[in-house]
Amino acid sequence: MKIKIIIDSSAGMSQEQANSFGWDLIPIQIEVGNDIYKSGIDFDTDKFEELWRNDKKIDAKTFATPPGIAMQVIEKYFNDYDKILVYPISNALSSQCASLTAQFASNPKVHIVQSNKISYLIVRDLLMFEEYIKEGKSFDEAIEHFKNNNERLLLIPEFNDALLKGGRLSKAAAAIAKLLKIVPIIKFDNGILEKDGIGRIFKKTLEKNLKELYENTNKDNENNYLLVVNANNDKIDELIQSFKQITNNFPRIYTIQLSCDIVVHAGIGAICLTFAEVSPKIKDKFFLYLKKQ
């Protein structure tokens, strides 16, 4: 069976990076002021940071890929592939999954993953899918692991501006949070971003939560990695040094840039922390666009 894999930009890869894996990319749309961009193609976290640092009151929104653009990406594979596997952003975070599912419901060649993942989680799932297919598993068997939940993953915003603009924080709550230096702690669990707690002062909150994650991880598992998913935090080098001290110089720390589709809502400076297991079968490709610390 000949299978084409297509991700959307929430996986955190550019179109060029996706193509290097033999995949293609559907861009989530990002609206900034009066301009509309295609995430992963003509817009990324670096571009968003540039606009945000020039105007921290910047109005940015994300919305699902228009059906016409999705069709342009997918239909070119109709004739040459037996199956087209499309893995979008978690259906709890966007209408993207539901929109694509409805659009291609009558086409048996197109399989839209009912996603509960974002970022590197999508990439890891798909690399393992490719391995399972190579091992001789059927398509249905190879996609079964997509249903698995992720490891404990925490998102900690440095600033509350984006949460306020997105309606996830009231003006009164944002004012109190700024005054008291309160930091929201958000967990990603089964496809949903939800409040996990609060901290005081961004750096201290990161350090406290990393310590808890480290204490609960299997340090002897050589396939376990500390992933720091970073929304262009300008103190990332200083933070990494602190993380190394907390984890007793844990030897497998990698950073990866957070997709701008998520950064628009979490804000520049946000950090995600997790200890993730990565199979030796896929580690070379998985870490290709990550940076070892």
Side-chain angles (χ1 to χ4, degrees):
M1 177 182 284
K2 194 174 181 184
I3 303 168
K4 186 66 182 183
I5 291 174
I6 301 175
I7 58 174
D8 74 14
S9 48
S10 70
M13 301 181 83
S14 67
Q15 185 171 50
E16 182 180 356
Q17 290 171 340
N19 291 164
S20 75
F21 279 19
W23 305 347
D24 207 340
L25 179 138
I26 295 174
I28 290 174
Q29 307 291 280
I30 296 184
E31 181 180 327
V32 183
N34 296 319
D35 297 318
I36 295 177
Y37 300 95
K38 297 182 179 71
S39 178
I41 296 177
D42 60 6
F43 199 79
D44 58 16
T45 298
D46 293 339
K47 177 65 175 177
F48 181 65
E49 180 190 16
E50 179 185 336
L51 296 173
W52 179 80
R53 293 205 183 276
N54 286 331
D55 178 11
K56 290 187 171 60
K57 294 183 179 180
I58 190 171
D59 185 23
K61 302 172 185 175
T62 60
F63 54 95
T65 307
I69 293 177
M71 180 61 78
Q72 286 176 7
V73 175
I74 294 172
E75 68 178 353
K76 60 189 175 186
Y77 301 111
F78 284 170
N79 293 331
D80 296 331
Y81 288 84
D82 303 304
K83 205 78 173 175
I84 301 165
L85 177 65
V86 183
Y87 203 142
I89 186 172
S90 168
N91 57 24
L93 300 181
S94 169
S95 63
Q96 176 91 326
C97 187
S99 175
L100 291 169
T101 300
Q103 184 176 358
F104 295 98
S106 62
N107 191 325
K109 273 195 172 185
V110 181
H111 179 88
I112 310 296
V113 177
Q114 300 307 296
S115 172
N116 64 348
K117 307 280 173 57
I118 52 173
S119 188
Y120 75 89
L121 298 167
I122 292 175
V123 177
R124 183 178 62 177
D125 268 3
L126 287 170
L127 291 174
M128 287 307 302
F129 167 82
E130 290 181 323
E131 288 300 316
Y132 292 145
I133 292 295
K134 289 177 188 175
E135 292 169 3
K137 288 189 176 183
S138 69
F139 181 87
D140 289 341
E141 289 172 332
I143 64 173
E144 190 63 26
H145 76 286
F146 294 167
K147 299 175 184 177
N148 296 341
N149 195 16
N150 54 277
E151 305 92 346
R152 181 163 170 77
L153 190 159
L154 298 177
L155 166 65
I156 301 176
E158 184 175 17
F159 307 105
N160 290 325
D161 310 54
L163 297 175
L164 175 61
K165 286 193 177 94
R168 293 168 175 81
L169 198 64
S170 69
K171 288 185 178 180
I176 293 171
K178 186 175 182 179
L179 179 66
L180 300 179
K181 297 183 178 180
I182 292 174
V183 180
I185 303 165
I186 302 166
K187 68 178 179 180
F188 183 75
D189 187 41
N190 265 319
I192 300 171
L193 286 168
E194 55 188 3
K195 181 180 174 183
D196 191 60
I198 58 173
R200 293 288 299 275
I201 305 175
F202 178 67
K203 185 171 183 284
K204 289 183 178 180
T205 301
L206 284 170
E207 292 171 343
K208 179 177 182 292
N209 281 273
L210 176 60
K211 184 178 180 181
E212 291 175 359
L213 287 172
Y214 179 66
E215 287 173 350
N216 289 288
T217 196
N218 181 357
K219 304 167 190 62
D220 296 325
N221 183 352
E222 293 185 355
N223 299 321
N224 214 14
Y225 298 83
L226 170 57
L227 302 185
V228 181
V229 192
N230 166 37
N232 285 22
N233 190 290
D234 58 5
K235 297 181 180 66
I236 188 63
D237 292 336
E238 175 188 333
L239 290 171
I240 290 296
Q241 292 308 309
S242 173
F243 296 167
K244 287 181 177 179
Q245 290 180 3
I246 291 168
T247 61
N248 298 314
N249 287 312
F250 189 75
R252 298 177 298 280
I253 302 177
Y254 285 79
T255 53
I256 180 174
Q257 189 178 64
L258 186 62
S259 164
C260 60
D261 313 318
I262 309 301
V263 176
V264 163
H265 300 287
I268 291 295
I271 297 282
C272 294
L273 297 172
T274 188
F275 281 91
E277 187 165 351
V278 180
S279 168
K281 297 177 182 179
I282 65 169
K283 70 176 186 178
D284 288 344
K285 285 185 76 173
F286 181 83
F287 289 111
L288 186 60
Y289 296 112
L290 279 68
K291 182 180 179 182
K292 192 173 191 310
Q293 298 296 325

